[in-house]
Amino acid sequence: VALAIANLVSALWFAFRLGRARGWPLGRALWEPFVVPTLAAVLGSFAGGRLDDAIAAPWWSVIAAGAVASAVTLAALLLLRHVRWHELVSLARRGAAA
């Protein structure tokens, strides 16, 4: 936990200093790399957790909750324009070619 907190604090400090040096507003330096992915992960975790509680069969609940959490997280990232659809298509093509 301490390692994760130290990395988060140092990343926030770096983004703050970089934003000041580049003349960016503080919101931009924190919103794009930190707030949007965190918000998407929280939404996905919440949706998956609610589904996990609703299904009685243990393995099916794990599978369904993981799928829903992933779908909700990806949808949030797409809706908040953190990830573009053409980037996903490009990654899929590269994966299929490999």
Side-chain angles (χ1 to χ4, degrees):
V1 173
L3 186 61
I5 292 171
N7 280 320
L8 177 64
V9 169
S10 63
L12 288 170
W13 177 253
F14 174 77
F16 173 73
R17 297 285 299 182
L18 179 65
R20 281 190 51 198
R22 302 282 300 161
W24 298 336
L26 179 62
R28 179 179 176 203
L30 298 179
W31 175 259
E32 292 176 12
F34 298 106
V35 177
V36 172
T38 302
L39 178 63
V42 166
L43 289 173
S45 296
F46 181 77
R50 299 296 72 79
L51 186 62
D52 185 42
D53 293 339
I55 299 175
W59 284 109
W60 287 113
S61 69
V62 169
I63 293 168
V68 167
S70 299
V72 169
T73 301
L74 180 61
L77 289 173
L78 287 168
L79 288 173
L80 293 171
R81 297 184 180 159
H82 190 71
V83 174
R84 306 267 193 264
W85 184 252
H86 70 275
E87 293 173 342
L88 295 176
V89 172
S90 174
L91 284 172
R93 286 184 183 150
R94 288 182 189 175

